[in-house]
Every structure is written in C-alpha cells, then in structure tokens.
Amino acid sequence: QQPVQSPQAVILREGEDAVINCSSSKALYSVHWYRQKHGEAPVFLMILLKGGEQKGHEKISASFNEKKQQSSLYLTASQLSYSGTYFCGTEERAGGTSYGKLTFGQGTILTVHP
Amino acid sequence: DGGITQSPKYLFRKEGQNVTLSCEQNLNHDAMYWYRQDPGQGLRLIYYSQIVNDFQKGDIAEGYSVSREKKESFPLTVTSAQKNPTAFYLCASSRIVRGENLFFGSGTQLSVL
C-alpha cells in the first residue's frame, strides 16, 4: 500500500513557506524525498532514517516521526526553481529483498509564482 | 560522468507488438529498478533486481518482463499482454545498502499508436 501525501497541490508566491506531509501504514526504516520537473528524472532531496539520521541537501529540512510513520518536508523562502512534483518514497523495516525497495506516494504538485 | 542512460526517450507501440526499453548504468550499482508513472498516481514498481540473473516482481509486473544478464543493464519488455502501456517509464539504480537513495534515468515515454 502506497504512502499518502498531503496536500495534493500547493500554490505559493516567491518567499512563502510550505509543508508537504507523507504518511504510511507500514513500519518504516527510512523515508526518501524527491522532486521531479515535468518529463524529467526525479532528483534526490533527502533521506530520513529510523534513529534520527538524515542525509541530503543542506537547504532542505524534513522530519520523521517514527512512532506515527509520518514525515514532513519543509520548504522555506520558496524560489521559482522549487516548482515541481514532490514525492516521498518509503522503505519498510522488513529486511531481505526489501532493502532499497521504495514505495512512492502519489506526489504533491508545488507551483511557485513570482 | 557516472549515471543512468535510458533509451529511447519516446517510443510508440502498435497493437500486439512487444517493445523493449533500454536501461544502462555505469555507477557500479548492484540494484536496478523499473517504475511506471501515470499522471496523479506517483511511481509504481514494476520489477527490481539486486543481482545478475535474478529479479523480483514489483506491484504491477503483469504484462512486463525483464532480464539482468549484466550488472550494468536491465532492459524492460512491454509485452502485448499489457493492455494499457501508455505511461512514463523510469529506470533507477542504487547500492544495496539500507537508506541509500535512488539514481534515476531520464525516462522513456511510451505511447500506443
């Protein structure tokens, strides 16, 4: 079952902030965040791991609530280049062949206007 | 430069035809994945492979087939059994390490004539 993202779409003016949420019904090892421009490859933003470790871009911030299996991506002082579709991908705690296997949410469309 | 190359960028399929999408990586990654993307539905896993000559079905494997004869290559065949093949197909790779990010190719847009 895929994780649920909210909201489905956000419209901002430059400089405004936004929060994108990702919620899973599974016990998670990690949550990944990617941004995709139309017709292009998704670009890695951040990974949040069970236990609190984070890996990713310095200008991106996010949180991971391990008890609730929820993650949030915080976009502050938005720029025009932030526009795109944001996906969360979740990696379950079960081991074996699930290592590295991500299940993606349906995406959140972010539009930033001048 | 290391990366993942998908080809072709655009592909058209006729009724009853099988088509093959190419995916090559030079990142020395053990794991490779195929995702299908439809508007509003995010990315859905078709097949993945963690070692040469072995692969596992993902969530929507029906109508697709793959092979992994070389570490660098993971081609996807969309068979005639896939009745709704029009979608954007993304190939990805990663190391087999917990919490490792995926590297994506630039995608192939498949359409039915």
Side-chain angles (χ1 to χ4, degrees):
Chain A
Q1 190 173 9
Q2 66 180 149
V4 176
Q5 289 185 232
S6 63
Q8 290 187 326
V10 183
I11 299 175
L12 301 174
R13 294 223 175 261
E14 270 187 298
E16 292 182 339
D17 302 337
V19 180
I20 301 173
N21 302 301
C22 176
S23 180
S24 175
S25 60
K26 307 278 188 180
L28 301 177
Y29 180 83
S30 66
V31 179
H32 301 218
W33 287 96
Y34 293 82
R35 178 173 60 217
Q36 185 183 30
K37 305 278 186 178
H38 182 70
E40 298 181 5
V43 173
F44 166 69
L45 297 177
M46 175 163 282
I47 293 174
L48 301 106
L49 302 170
K50 177 177 174 294
E53 185 181 353
Q54 296 186 0
K55 294 191 265 185
H57 295 279
E58 293 177 357
K59 294 186 178 181
I60 300 289
S61 65
S63 64
F64 177 27
N65 186 322
E66 295 176 37
K67 289 183 179 180
K68 294 184 177 181
Q69 309 306 323
Q70 294 175 347
S71 178
S72 295
L73 182 70
Y74 306 98
L75 301 169
T76 58
S78 60
Q79 304 172 16
L80 295 176
S81 62
Y82 287 12
S83 292
T85 303
Y86 289 76
F87 293 99
C88 68
T90 54
E91 180 183 7
E92 295 180 26
R93 283 188 202 169
T97 58
S98 71
Y99 270 46
K101 178 186 168 189
L102 298 184
T103 303
F104 285 90
Q106 80 279 18
T108 296
I109 301 172
L110 179 72
T111 306
V112 182
H113 291 298
Chain B
D1 286 337
I4 300 180
T5 302
Q6 286 188 244
S7 62
K9 190 166 179 62
Y10 300 97
L11 187 59
F12 297 92
R13 193 190 89 166
K14 296 180 181 178
E15 291 285 339
Q17 186 181 40
N18 293 351
V19 292
T20 298
L21 284 61
S22 171
C23 178
E24 303 275 336
Q25 55 99 358
N26 60 5
L27 298 166
N28 199 32
H29 286 166
D30 287 304
M32 296 187 74
Y33 311 83
W34 275 105
Y35 286 92
R36 169 177 172 145
Q37 187 172 29
D38 295 279
Q41 293 194 42
L43 284 70
R44 293 182 290 168
L45 184 63
I46 304 173
Y47 270 99
Y48 65 105
S49 168
Q50 295 184 324
I51 194 169
V52 173
N53 293 324
D54 188 45
F55 44 83
Q56 285 77 41
K57 293 182 179 181
D59 301 318
I60 56 167
E62 186 174 351
Y64 300 96
S65 66
V66 293
S67 63
R68 187 89 185 274
E69 297 178 1
K70 298 186 300 180
K71 185 176 181 178
E72 303 79 16
S73 179
F74 192 41
L76 173 74
T77 296
V78 183
T79 74
S80 57
Q82 173 50 248
K83 298 305 180 188
N84 184 24
T86 297
F88 190 55
Y89 291 85
L90 284 160
C91 179
S93 72
S94 73
R95 297 190 301 162
I96 305 179
V97 177
R98 281 291 213 180
E100 190 80 357
N101 63 288
L102 300 182
F103 290 78
F104 284 90
S106 55
T108 293
Q109 176 64 50
L110 176 62
S111 303
V112 177
L113 288 176

